[in-house]
Amino acid sequence: MPSSSLEGKRVVIIGGTAGIGLAAAQAAAAAGAKVWAAGRSKEHIENARAQANGSFEVRQADTHDADSLKAIFDEVGTIDHLVSAAVGGERTLKPFLEQTDEQFRAAYDKLWGYTKVVRTGAPYLAADGSITLVSGSPARKIRPAQSPLSCVGASVENLVRCLAVEMAPIRVNVVSPGTVDTAMFDAMGDAKAGNLAAMTATHLIPRAGTSEEVADGILFVLQNRFVTGTTVDVDGGRILS
Ligand SMILES: NC(=O)c1ccc[n+]([C@@H]2O[C@H](COP(=O)([O-])OP(=O)(O)OC[C@H]3O[C@@H](n4cnc5c(N)ncnc54)[C@H](OP(=O)(O)O)[C@@H]3O)[C@@H](O)[C@H]2O)c1
């Protein structure tokens, strides 16, 4: 049987208090999993708690703080599925030669956060457990002014392939979103809807995706026991457009 039910499974989602991670927490809980979702800010935690309405647990953790991660993992005990959907790094959108070394390096905080989640969480994983990370379409869709996103995303995807080989039979996968309407773009303010429409106008599916659509991809890799070392694109065809 390639697929397994999430009923009663213990799922931890770091970066699960907003956007894609929160949608994955909601979907996993609706599928019967016992879910812990975590993030840093009080604002996102309170909002996630309100949305969970008791259907999953919400905790405070930072991908860069092993103690905060360990506190959750100790509470969970054995983890069936460990997900990190945290942003965790800076997004400097400038041509490479206009960036400082510090800006470029700061993008890699996403990767360092993910490595900490994996290192800290690995001892808690069930023998048939899984790890799922989140990259992004710039990893393989090269556009000007996106070199930090592209390089970090590609690193996350390659790390996943390395981990899948080293940690088998634990399954390790990555989901790669295209442009998705989440809080990540809230800094655009009133221009957000127009900007997202412009950014996606040439995509094969010419609109921004939803967090729920990407969460579907995450649930697929959690449940399909024959999938490992794989990148699942949920991007409206962005890398082909
Ligand atoms: N939205 C897109 O178009 C898009 C495209 C490509 C890739 N992605 C990737 O998809 C993933 C999810 O993005 P999203 O759009 O859902 O973002 P989002 O709506 O901003 O949600 C990000 C979540 O991660 C948490 N988070 C951020 N940094 C964290 C850290 N250091 N430790 C723990 N939690 C942290 C946030 O809460 P706090 O801030 O309160 O900690 C929040 O819960 C990210 O890896 C992002 O790079 C998104």
Side-chain angles (χ1 to χ4, degrees):
M1 286 282 286
S3 294
S4 77
S5 161
L6 286 181
E7 190 68 48
K9 298 291 184 189
R10 292 173 168 251
V11 176
V12 178
I13 304 180
I14 310 298
T17 56
I20 291 165
L22 176 58
Q26 289 169 317
K34 184 146 179 44
V35 178
W36 284 258
R40 297 164 306 173
S41 71
K42 243 180 151 180
E43 182 197 349
H44 282 153
I45 288 171
E46 280 167 11
N47 178 53
R49 270 207 188 109
Q51 297 215 34
N53 197 20
S55 64
F56 57 89
E57 306 295 332
V58 182
R59 300 284 182 268
Q60 190 160 35
D62 186 333
T63 57
H64 301 291
D65 175 2
D67 289 343
S68 69
L69 297 168
K70 198 168 178 304
I72 298 173
F73 300 156
D74 281 339
E75 179 188 342
V76 176
T78 301
I79 302 171
D80 293 298
H81 302 290
L82 176 60
V83 178
S84 185
V87 176
E90 297 303 317
R91 304 175 74 252
T92 301
L93 300 174
K94 278 189 200 168
F96 176 76
L97 293 179
E98 292 175 22
Q99 292 169 44
T100 63
D101 283 353
E102 288 68 30
Q103 286 172 323
F104 196 75
R105 199 176 284 126
Y108 274 83
D109 285 344
K110 173 173 175 171
L111 180 71
W112 308 138
Y114 280 13
T115 56
K116 203 172 282 296
V117 170
V118 172
R119 279 189 208 289
T120 313
Y124 297 82
L125 277 171
D128 63 348
S130 80
I131 296 172
T132 304
L133 304 181
V134 176
S135 58
S137 54
R140 280 163 291 123
K141 176 71 176 179
I142 308 301
R143 304 284 302 147
Q146 295 193 345
S147 58
L149 305 186
S150 184
C151 293
V152 173
S155 297
V156 169
E157 293 182 1
N158 224 38
L159 175 67
V160 157
R161 288 186 280 272
C162 296
L163 295 174
V165 168
E166 290 187 6
M167 296 179 73
I170 285 170
R171 299 182 301 105
V172 190
N173 293 293
V174 54
V175 172
S176 177
T179 305
V180 181
D181 185 353
T182 69
M184 208 170 81
F185 297 106
D186 280 356
M188 292 174 176
D190 292 344
K192 178 176 167 178
N195 285 353
L196 287 177
M199 286 159 68
T200 56
T202 60
H203 296 181
L204 302 187
I205 298 171
R207 63 170 173 83
T210 65
S211 294
E212 290 72 23
E213 287 168 327
V214 183
D216 262 0
I218 293 175
L219 257 67
F220 164 70
V221 297
L222 299 195
Q223 292 179 98
N224 192 308
R225 289 189 200 161
F226 204 50
V227 172
T228 191
T230 296
T231 303
V232 173
D233 291 304
V234 185
D235 68 353
R238 179 172 185 240
I239 58 174
L240 294 179
S241 62

